[in-house]
Amino acid sequence: MAATGTTATPSTTAARTPNKGLRWLRRNIITIAGLATLAYLVLPNVIVMVFSFNKPNGRFNYQWQRFSTDAWTDPCGVADLCGSLGLSLQIAVWATVGATVLGTMIAFALARYRFRARAGVNTLIFLPMAMPEVVMAASLATLFLNMGIQFGFWTILIAHIMFCLSFVVTAVKARVMSMDPRLEQAAQDLYASPVQTFLRVTLPIAAPGIASGALLSFALSFDDFIITNFNAGSTVTFPMFVWGSAQRGTPVQINVIGTAMFLVAVLCVVAGQLAGKRRKRS
C-alpha cells in the first residue's frame, strides 16, 4: 500500500521560513539602535563644527552663507570672548581640584567608617544631584547675601565646588566599596606602613574612580550656567558670554571654541581607550 502524505507548497514553505531581512534586523537591532542614538548625540556637534567655517552676512550665525576660515585664524577676534573662556577654565580647574580632594576624603569616610550621622551625610550628599539646579543656586545666593560676601570669582568657585562634590563622592565611593580588603591586609602583612599601603595599594585601585569624578567635575563646572548666573555678579564666564551673545548676535568664534573643545574631548577618550587596550595586551 502506497504511503500517503502532504507535499509542502512553495507558499507554505516561504511562510514557515523567516525572511532573511527580518532575521538580520533581529540580530542587529541593538547595534542599529546604538548607532542611531550616537548619531543623534553627535549631530549637534557636527552642526557646530560645520558652522564654524561659515561667514554670515549678519550678526547671527544660523544660516549657511559661504565657506571661510577667518574665525579659525582669529578665535579671539570678539571682545571678552577669550577672557571669559580663560576665566571658565580657571574656575573649572580649581573647582575640580577642590571637589576631588574633598569628595575623595568624604567617600573614603563613608565607605570605610561607621558613625552616627552616616545615613544623614549620605542623604545630604545625594540632594544636590536630585534637586533642580535653580534651587541650589538660589540657596547659595541667599547664603552669600546674608554673609555679606561680594559676588564674583570666589562665590562662583565655592558654588561649583559644592555642586560638583556630590558627583565626586558618588564615583569614588562606588570604587572604594568594590575594593578587595584582602589586598590592603596583604600589604600590612608584608610590613607596609599605613602610608605605604595607601599610596601603593589603595590609591592606585581607587584612581579610576577619582579620575572619573575629576573629569565629571571639570565638565560640569565649565558647562554650568544656572548656578553661575545666580552667584556671578558682574563676572562673566564663557557659558554666560554665549547666552548673552545669543541675544545680540552669535559670533562664529563661539562655534570655533566649541569645535575645539569637542575635538579635545574626543582625543582624550580615544587616548584613554588606546591606553587601556595596551595595558590589557601587556
Side-chain angles (χ1 to χ4, degrees), residues 87-112:
L87 180 62
S88 291
L89 291 173
Q90 185 179 0
I91 292 174
V93 169
W94 286 111
T96 300
V97 173
T100 302
V101 173
L102 293 175
T104 301
M105 292 189 293
I106 294 173
F108 272 94
L110 293 175
R112 294 294 180 86

Side-chain angles (χ1 to χ4, degrees), residues 15-192:
R16 293 176 183 177
T17 305
N19 186 275
K20 292 183 179 180
L22 183 59
R23 286 186 295 175
W24 181 88
L25 181 62
R26 290 176 180 176
R27 289 196 305 265
N28 300 277
I29 185 64
I30 298 178
T31 304
I32 295 174
L35 293 176
T37 304
L38 181 63
Y40 177 77
L41 294 175
V42 176
L43 181 61
N45 298 290
V46 174
I47 294 176
V48 170
M49 187 182 303
V50 171
F51 275 82
S52 67
F53 296 96
N54 185 30
K55 189 171 184 179
N57 294 328
R59 296 180 300 171
F60 296 95
N61 187 25
Y62 298 151
Q63 293 182 352
W64 179 265
Q65 299 295 332
R66 59 188 180 275
F67 180 85
S68 175
T69 58
D70 294 342
W72 282 93
T73 56
D74 189 16
C76 296
V78 180
D80 298 330
L81 189 150
C82 287
S84 63
L85 176 63
L87 180 62
S88 291
L89 291 173
Q90 185 179 0
I91 292 174
V93 169
W94 286 111
T96 300
V97 173
T100 302
V101 173
L102 293 175
T104 301
M105 292 189 293
I106 294 173
F108 272 94
L110 293 175
R112 294 294 180 86
Y113 299 98
R114 305 288 179 180
F115 48 92
R116 293 182 179 179
R118 185 169 179 268
V121 173
N122 278 319
T123 303
L124 292 176
I125 290 296
F126 178 74
L127 282 179
M129 296 187 297
M131 70 173 62
E133 286 189 36
V134 65
V135 176
M136 186 175 183
S139 301
L140 289 171
T142 304
L143 175 64
F144 293 142
L145 286 173
N146 291 333
M147 296 180 64
I149 301 176
Q150 185 178 1
F151 289 104
F153 175 86
W154 292 107
T155 54
I156 298 175
L157 180 59
I158 294 172
H160 283 201
I161 292 176
M162 295 296 294
F163 173 66
C164 298
L165 189 63
S166 300
F167 296 91
V168 177
V169 172
T170 303
V172 179
K173 181 183 174 184
R175 182 67 177 177
V176 173
M177 293 184 68
S178 64
M179 291 173 55
D180 189 354
R182 292 176 295 182
L183 297 175
E184 295 174 318
Q185 295 173 3
Q188 295 172 2
D189 292 339
L190 296 173
Y191 302 102

Side-chain angles (χ1 to χ4, degrees), residues 189-228:
D189 292 339
L190 296 173
Y191 302 102
S193 64
V195 176
Q196 290 176 331
T197 302
F198 178 79
L199 294 178
R200 297 187 179 185
V201 179
T202 307
L203 188 59
I205 297 176
I210 298 174
S212 62
L215 292 175
L216 186 60
S217 297
F218 182 86
L220 291 172
S221 176
F222 182 85
D223 185 58
D224 183 77
F225 172 79
I226 298 177
I227 294 178
T228 305

